[in-house]
Amino acid sequence: MKNISAHTYRPVSTGGLRIDHRDNRRVKVYIETYGCQMNVNDSEVVASVLADEGYGITKDMRQADLILVNTCSVRENAEQRIRGRLNVFRSEKRKRPGLLVGVIGCMAERLKEQLLEEEQIVDLVVGPDAYRDLPQLVRNAGTGQKAVNVLLSREETYSDISPVRMDSNGVSSFVSIMRGCNNRCTYCIVPYTRGVERSRSSETILREVGELVEAGYREVTLLGQNVDSYRMQQNGTTVSFAHLLQAVAETSPLLRVRFATSHPKDMTDELLHVMAACPNICKSIHLPVQSGSTRILELMRRRYTREWYLERTDAIRRILSDCSISTDIIAGFCTETEEDHRDTLSLMRQVHFDYAFMFKYSVRPHTPAAKEMNNDVPEDVKSARLQEIIDLQKQLSEKSKQRYIGQTVEVLAESVSKKSQEKLSGRTSQNMVTVFPAKRYAPRDYVRVRITGCTPATLLGEAESS
Ligand code: SAH
Ligand code: SF4
Ligand code: F3S
């Protein structure tokens, strides 16, 4: 599950869980998750809330009494895919009329009661800040009432809830440090589905990290839409993201720490210096640029220029000796010209991104761009530009892997390779997936691997005998 990228839309099925049933009825819940890492972590919170009430969690949809689909609204195709899944649940419900179906997460928040009308099989609609109310809502739905709670909160961070680590590899885990977003980039639905930004108390974050270390975890990824604006008052002082990151890194030298997402306008040198000082903070930064054109960035209300972004990536290279930089890019935003598009391509070359998530602009209802701008780049032009961006990134990604050939890198082994029982798969500090013959090593081990080759997505190597 840790491999779910910030913005892929693979369903994540849930793992089994032993439950102490408080009521006689054995209710089994199946949770399917779409969207970003925060949603993956939210599903773990949902599982925890329901498990506390005695519900069982199942990996098998056909065994479920309740199906919950944790949804994403970030682009139209994400929503379409989920509607497709609802059709599958519809036929399942036809076979088993007692089955309950709940839509939770961002699409629930965006569409609210409208979902009940549009998708008649839906019994529950629950927004991202209302998960504590799930047991009550499930009970209501069980008596035939439609159950909806889409209230957003200014405070909710689920800070006291220990997420149930479903499908975990037992090595790496997500830890949410904040919720919501105050940025209001003009294209983006997230501020409307997730509400205002709020930080989780550093005490509870550190406690959760400590528990993960005790349970044998070796890597945590701290999650927020804009981690650099993390702020918490603790004993009269302000804890910034840099402070928090350092404190998390100091939990154990055996623990690797990652974080996402950084916003270019807020990423400080202080943060980079903390990264440089702590060997166990991974040297990998996800810094979404969106566009290489200052004019487009202004229309997107990103609040930085092309030059500012390039200065930030220069600072990364200056302060950290070998740090990978990944990004998000949107092709074909409102009024984007061929020249703006060329600016994006030239910025990509200049920064030499190691990895990128690339999207066509998708109009999201009620966002400032939807209300005030013209989605005037024709679909075929958007597609052609996206393809150019993808082709360029493919070359850049390949080169960035090739430079490791001949070097020895430290890999945290995470799992047995999908393709071969005799191989292990893990990642380098720079977030490069690396596969090597297991020999005497096992998941959780830190292994020095000599890189001998690569495929487009993976480094290949041999473990050094120590
Ligand atoms: N908080 C993060 C990312 C949130 S959404 C940030 O600010 O970078 C993840 C990515 O989805 C964004 O970085 C953006 O590239 C993309 N995205 C968001 N809204 C989009 C839209 N309407 N159309 C296409 N891509 C979009
Ligand atoms: Fe969306 Fe911008 Fe907030 Fe990221 S920073 S979640 S892109 S509004
Ligand atoms: Fe994440 Fe999608 Fe919501 S990207 S915050 S699940 S809209």
Side-chain angles (χ1 to χ4, degrees):
M1 185 155 73
K2 52 103 201 44
N3 276 336
I4 196 168
S5 63
H7 325 295
T8 48
Y9 297 91
R10 264 188 306 127
V12 181
S13 63
T14 60
L17 187 74
R18 293 168 69 97
I19 302 288
D20 173 23
H21 288 279
R22 288 208 318 215
D23 56 24
N24 296 332
R25 198 167 156 239
R26 192 180 163 79
V27 181
K28 290 212 199 90
V29 188
Y30 168 80
I31 311 177
E32 205 167 274
T33 307
Y34 293 82
C36 60
Q37 295 166 332
M38 301 214 66
N39 253 18
V40 174
N41 193 226
D42 277 5
S43 289
E44 297 176 339
V45 166
V46 165
S48 176
V49 168
L50 292 174
D52 278 353
E53 291 285 314
Y55 293 98
I57 306 287
T58 176
K59 265 185 173 183
D60 183 357
M61 177 177 81
R62 285 160 310 178
Q63 302 273 313
D65 306 287
L66 167 64
I67 294 175
L68 292 178
V69 51
N70 195 357
T71 56
C72 176
S73 287
V74 79
R75 282 168 293 278
E76 199 187 343
N77 59 8
E79 290 199 354
Q80 274 165 355
R81 185 150 174 224
I82 291 158
R83 299 237 189 216
R85 281 306 281 169
L86 289 175
N87 285 337
V88 174
F89 302 151
R90 179 174 294 117
S91 47
E92 191 68 18
K93 201 162 173 165
R94 232 174 260 140
K95 282 182 244 158
R96 296 187 292 134
L99 177 68
L100 296 177
V101 175
V103 175
I104 65 175
C106 291
M107 212 171 149
E109 192 60 52
R110 188 174 90 72
L111 294 164
K112 306 186 169 55
E113 283 84 0
Q114 196 185 323
L115 255 178
L116 296 176
E117 288 154 33
E118 290 174 6
E119 302 285 350
Q120 304 233 322
I121 53 142
V122 175
D123 304 287
L124 280 106
V125 177
V126 188
D129 284 347
Y131 296 148
R132 286 181 201 269
D133 199 20
L134 261 169
Q136 185 58 44
L137 293 165
V138 174
R139 276 192 289 274
N140 292 355
T143 62
Q145 305 167 51
K146 297 282 179 183
V148 180
N149 187 343
V150 287
L151 289 176
L152 285 173
S153 156
R154 295 194 153 263
E155 288 94 30
E156 182 62 272
T157 57
Y158 301 114
S159 63
D160 56 318
I161 293 179
S162 288
V164 173
R165 307 292 172 183
M166 302 175 295
D167 256 10
S168 164
N169 56 14
V171 182
S172 46
S173 180
F174 298 130
V175 175
S176 291
I177 63 164
M178 57 206 297
R179 298 180 73 81
C181 180
N182 284 353
N183 279 319
R184 297 185 177 257
C185 305
T186 53
Y187 51 81
C188 185
I189 195 79
V190 172
Y192 307 91
T193 61
R194 291 269 165 179
V196 295
E197 181 186 289
R198 63 225 102 118
S199 296
R200 176 179 172 190
S201 89
S202 49
E203 235 167 40
T204 61
I205 296 169
L206 290 169
R207 193 184 314 138
E208 189 177 326
V209 171
E211 285 165 6
L212 286 166
V213 170
E214 249 166 49
Y217 282 82
R218 288 276 191 270
E219 183 183 276
V220 291
T221 303
L222 307 181
L223 294 181
Q225 294 297 352
N226 180 4
V227 288
D228 309 271
S229 60
Y230 179 88
R231 287 281 172 287
M232 183 49 57
Q233 292 299 325
Q234 204 91 34
N235 308 323
T237 55
T238 306
V239 180
S240 68
F241 179 58
H243 297 143
L244 176 74
L245 186 63
Q246 182 163 8
V248 171
E250 283 166 359
T251 309
S252 162
L254 281 179
L255 181 73
R256 272 187 173 183
V257 188
R258 298 183 187 275
F259 56 88
T261 300
S262 300
H263 196 299
K265 79 176 162 59
D266 296 325
M267 195 199 61
T268 60
D269 283 1
E270 186 197 5
L271 175 77
L272 299 176
H273 287 297
V274 166
M275 289 179 76
C278 301
N280 61 333
I281 300 177
C282 290
K283 303 302 179 276
S284 163
I285 298 183
H286 186 60
L287 198 66
V289 66
Q290 315 299 359
S291 168
S293 152
T294 296
R295 190 183 72 82
I296 294 293
L297 288 171
E298 208 167 292
L299 286 175
M300 289 175 161
R301 208 190 289 150
R302 287 292 285 179
R303 293 187 277 172
Y304 54 84
T305 59
R306 174 190 175 93
E307 289 69 34
W308 173 273
Y309 187 89
L310 289 171
E311 193 285 318
R312 289 291 74 207
T313 50
D314 282 349
I316 296 173
R317 309 268 194 236
R318 193 169 61 238
I319 297 170
L320 300 166
S321 56
D322 181 14
C323 183
S324 66
I325 304 177
S326 56
T327 201
D328 295 348
I329 296 173
I330 298 177
F333 187 61
C334 307
T335 78
E336 187 187 75
T337 62
E338 200 52 36
E339 196 188 338
D340 295 317
H341 170 59
R342 299 273 143 228
D343 284 347
T344 298
L345 297 173
S346 76
L347 179 131
M348 290 172 70
R349 278 193 207 94
Q350 205 167 330
V351 178
H352 206 291
F353 291 114
D354 297 277
Y355 193 80
F357 297 95
M358 299 153 285
F359 315 103
K360 261 193 277 185
Y361 170 56
S362 161
V363 184
R364 307 315 294 133
H366 310 300
T367 55
K371 287 197 283 198
E372 296 152 26
M373 296 175 209
N374 227 347
N375 178 25
D376 56 358
V377 179
E379 200 51 34
D380 57 335
V381 176
K382 272 187 198 171
S383 299
R385 287 182 188 164
L386 178 64
Q387 195 54 51
E388 253 187 290
I389 289 169
I390 291 171
D391 291 344
L392 172 58
Q393 186 53 47
K394 197 166 161 241
Q395 292 170 24
L396 298 177
S397 297
E398 242 172 73
K399 272 200 198 135
S400 102
K401 288 203 179 55
Q402 281 162 356
R403 73 174 192 269
Y404 289 103
I405 295 175
Q407 288 189 29
T408 298
V409 293
E410 188 180 64
V411 176
L412 170 60
E414 287 165 83
S415 57
V416 172
S417 160
K418 274 186 222 123
K419 292 198 186 130
S420 160
Q421 282 292 313
E422 274 88 55
K423 289 185 178 166
L424 288 175
S425 171
R427 277 172 299 158
T428 67
S429 172
Q430 287 75 18
N431 210 20
M432 308 271 173
V433 175
T434 307
V435 173
F436 55 95
K439 291 188 187 154
R440 63 197 165 84
Y441 294 105
R444 286 203 177 88
D445 287 342
Y446 285 102
V447 187
R448 295 197 47 82
V449 177
R450 191 175 156 74
I451 302 303
T452 52
C454 64
T455 69
T458 313
L459 293 176
L460 307 171
E462 291 289 334
E464 279 193 347
S465 33
S466 50

